[in-house]
Amino acid sequence: METHEGLAALTRAIRAEEDGKELRKELAKNMREALKPGAAEAKSSIMGMGSSGLRTGPALRSSIARKIRPEVKLGGRWSGARVKAFKTRNVRGFVNAPKRTNRSGGWRHPVFGDREVWVQQSGKVDWFDRAFQGREGVYKQAVEAAMENMARRLADRAG
């Protein structure tokens, strides 16, 4: 059974139940729990990025780490579970910090105190991607197990 098709079928079956809203919440919670170790690994990876110079503003690494969390959506245009690094809106005007620190090209920014001089800075290349390397199957299996448990519960109800 394909995971996405199975998730769509499971979501439809849950909607048909009288207590479907609670069942959906429980399924989403269990799927998020399955991905929490991956999110923790990604947070650990960004916290391992080196820092240079003294800053008085909000800490970049910890701000990025706070924005990493598992996301589950059931229904709509996209259904599934993933670990996502959300944008950092209030961090030194650096909205795309998770994306820019992850890429090999780095990012450009003006030098502190001198808005006319710009520098190229690089982060920890592929910190987000490497956090999951070799363990994708483990997380996928954990999410599928949460789905199977819910499907089994629904089948037991039907008799």
Side-chain angles (χ1 to χ4, degrees), residues 6-156:
L7 183 58
L10 182 58
T11 304
R12 282 192 303 273
I14 288 173
R15 279 195 191 121
E17 293 294 316
E18 194 172 307
D19 58 343
K21 190 172 184 179
E22 289 78 26
L23 292 174
R24 278 177 56 139
K25 283 182 185 179
E26 185 179 338
L27 175 61
K29 179 180 172 254
N30 292 341
M31 291 170 75
R32 274 192 302 275
E33 288 294 323
L35 292 176
K36 275 190 179 177
E41 191 70 34
K43 288 178 184 186
S44 173
S45 184
I46 188 60
M47 291 305 288
M49 182 176 81
S51 64
S52 59
L54 299 172
R55 291 284 181 179
T56 57
L60 182 63
R61 291 174 295 170
S62 61
S63 296
I64 293 171
R66 276 194 303 274
K67 292 292 190 170
I68 297 171
R69 56 186 164 266
E71 178 186 45
V72 173
K73 289 189 178 179
L74 302 172
R77 274 195 252 181
W78 179 82
S79 288
R82 64 184 173 190
V83 175
K84 188 172 178 182
F86 292 87
K87 291 186 176 190
T88 52
R89 299 231 182 273
N90 299 323
V91 180
R92 305 182 199 158
F94 195 10
V95 176
N96 288 317
K99 183 178 179 180
R100 299 287 185 252
T101 55
N102 191 50
R103 71 178 200 189
S104 60
W107 68 95
R108 287 177 38 84
H109 65 88
V111 173
F112 183 73
D114 185 357
R115 294 291 173 194
E116 294 181 19
V117 178
W118 284 67
V119 293
Q120 181 74 22
Q121 188 170 350
S122 59
K124 184 177 178 184
V125 178
D126 290 338
W127 62 264
F128 189 81
D129 303 326
R130 286 185 187 154
F132 304 100
Q133 242 173 11
R135 291 184 291 284
E136 301 95 340
V138 172
Y139 301 127
K140 183 178 179 184
Q141 194 173 27
V143 168
E144 287 174 352
M147 290 169 50
E148 286 174 22
N149 288 342
M150 182 59 70
R152 198 172 301 114
R153 280 180 54 190
L154 291 175
D156 290 345

